Amino acid sequence: MPKIIIDSIPIDVPQGTNVLEAARSIGITIPHFCWHPALGKAGACRACAVKMLDGPIRGIQMSCMLPAQDGMVVSTTDDEAVAMRRAVIEWLMINHPHDCPVCDEGGECQLQDFTIAGGHGIRRFDGLKRTHVNQYLGDCIEHEMNRCIQCYRCVRFYQEYAGGTDFGVMGRSGMVYFGRQQDGPLESPFSGNLAEICPTGVFTVKTARFRARYWDYDMAPSICPGCSLGCNTVPMARYRELLKVTARRNDAVNGWFICDRGRFSNTPVNAANRPRQPQIDGEAVSMEAALNALRERLTDFTARHGSSALAIVGSPRMSQEAAIMAARLRDVTGAGYLCYSYDPETAQATAEAVALLNKDNAASQENVRQADLIALLACDPLNEAPMMALAIRQAWRNGAKVYHVAEKPVCNALHQLYETVYVSSIGEIPFKEAHAPVLVCGTNRKGLDLVRPVMNEGIKTAFIMDGPNSFGTSLLARELGAVSFGEALTSGKIKGIIALEADLPSDLPPELSVLAAADWLRTPLIELAGIVLPVTSWVEMDGIFINNEGRAQSFKQVMKSGLPIKGLTPEQHPPRIHRHDPPGGDMPPSWKMVSALVQLLGGNQDDDTSFRDQWREFETPDAAHNRIMSYERNPKQ
Ligand code: FES
């Protein structure tokens, strides 16, 4: 551990730490543009100058390029270092447009911050600025090349970190251009990260363009519901419209990035045709009236078919709280079936995967990134959980071998991310030669048959599951005796269902009635349901998802629910009356709605405090606090 002194503060830092990181670790921020914790150093921007006062190296140095060594005495405030940084930023600003007032990055721009911090305030250059022609890069990312400061972060992320080949850097005399060979949508499924990694406003998110400044946004720590990996995010909203989703750093899970599937997931939340008004047979009513009607219909249903002909159906996209409440509804109605999934094979495979995992053998994305051998079994990470493919790529870049048990290549796009050795049997994979092997396995019969013998040898395993709370609902299914809906249907006894954020096909058997459907998405069941109960989406409520490794992570309410005004046709516009609550916002989280229904049916209603108390330990949305779920935990206790 090298011992160094920075601005008179002595510190020990791990071997390999550079001076810039060492300073950051004690709260001293040295301006920097090209260095990024996930990308490392490039020495391109020259903004991170410090003065080495004593030790093995002296004079002005770039702090990002200098590994800390014993005896170094560093000054970040030396006049010469400050003058150098100020001059560098002034040079960078020569060609940067002074367009902060109209720039979409304003307020969340690293160049803006470090220009101020670096002491450059008065423009002395009065020549012509260098200008570029922008490109169309697709519907998600806006290109504004004039703002570029040539830090190379974008191309290093896109090509090196994420394996993209359609975007790069081109140069001619004094011009350096970051873009594609020709206009066209960016092909990488991680392209949205350009908007975050760029320290200025070359790449911005089109969905939020000119809609808000950073300080205008409603935002909160959240979890991506796009797949089972539970990547940490910060969704940003304004005026009840989800405008963009950004990555939230969690070193154990997604690191610094997220995939485009999670990032550009605004549309369903903002959809004008989202169910927002409770309905009875197509007639708009209050939530109270809808729940009362459901109680009456349940009484009628029970009299005709018996309560055991009822199924309460949820899905792996419901929060853990809603899944628990579904079970209470099953208990109070006497329903014959509780279901958290549709497909019997997937439900069985998920249950087996959850039973196989424990705190020691569950692999996080970080375990995958640090692996020296990765075996892919019956899965297609890029399509099923893109961030898993990105994690595999990082391991491969560090020298890990990637094996895939398959007769022939599975997906061509994968070759851009990592080289794969295809083997026909798992016995051909040299696990014994590896120090940190990881299995990445699909949650299906084939994957489980392959993985079982190797997992017994203690190899860490990541299962790719099918929903953000597959693990949590599978845990509950085991404890509460839930079965898949497909399995329940084969009994031939079900005559009616109450669907809670359920994903069932529209071609249900004709004898089966959908008594009620609660959802925030306009699913086929909403169209079929006698009673529609709109509930909040994940950005409009607090909740918990348990990810594929069994990590319970809480997400917080980002915005108030309500009809976004933008995009409405005149017919869809709500009545122009003064009101306290936003129109279309009268909807509870799914678990609260079910809790009210349970009380109406004679059960105990859980208020906010008592119900959530049992999950309190998982509530802090801090990376350091999310927990690997105790598999023995009984959520009812
Ligand atoms: Fe050190 Fe760019 S951050 S040269």
Side-chain angles (χ1 to χ4, degrees), residues 32-35 43-46 48 64:
H32 59 274
F33 298 113
C34 61
W35 178 83
C45 72
R46 321 308 285 175
C48 63
C64 71

Side-chain angles (χ1 to χ4, degrees), residues 118-192:
H120 168 63
I122 306 289
R123 181 185 175 189
R124 293 185 291 168
F125 176 74
D126 60 2
L128 281 179
K129 286 177 186 274
R130 183 180 55 210
T131 56
H132 300 271
V133 175
N134 299 324
Q135 287 185 321
Y136 169 75
L137 296 178
D139 292 340
C140 298
I141 296 291
E142 181 73 20
H143 194 213
E144 183 60 59
M145 251 309 288
N146 290 347
R147 297 177 184 148
C148 182
I149 57 167
Q150 298 90 41
C151 71
Y152 287 73
R153 271 190 185 184
C154 56
V155 70
R156 286 157 62 214
F157 169 79
Y158 200 92
Q159 292 187 356
E160 295 169 18
Y161 199 95
T165 54
D166 62 311
F167 172 94
V169 55
M170 293 156 271
R172 176 171 58 83
S173 56
M175 307 281 268
V176 181
Y177 192 86
F178 295 85
R180 287 168 49 88
Q181 296 283 342
Q182 54 195 20
D183 279 21
L186 293 165
E187 290 167 9
S188 168
F190 309 101
S191 64

Side-chain angles (χ1 to χ4, degrees), residues 104-121:
D104 217 31
E105 189 80 358
E108 46 189 323
C109 174
Q110 203 173 331
L111 180 61
Q112 210 172 36
D113 291 347
F114 285 147
T115 299
I116 304 298
H120 168 63

Side-chain angles (χ1 to χ4, degrees), residues 494-546:
I494 303 181
K495 294 283 185 273
I497 63 172
I498 295 178
L500 307 172
E501 299 180 74
D503 293 313
L504 303 182
S506 53
D507 56 343
L508 292 172
E511 71 277 9
L512 199 152
S513 62
V514 183
L515 295 177
D519 215 319
W520 63 274
L521 289 170
R522 183 158 287 279
T523 62
L525 289 180
I526 291 285
E527 308 296 341
L528 294 173
I531 296 176
V532 173
L533 303 163
V535 293
T536 52
S537 70
W538 89 104
V539 286
E540 296 152 342
M541 59 183 266
D542 290 357
I544 289 170
F545 288 145
I546 302 177

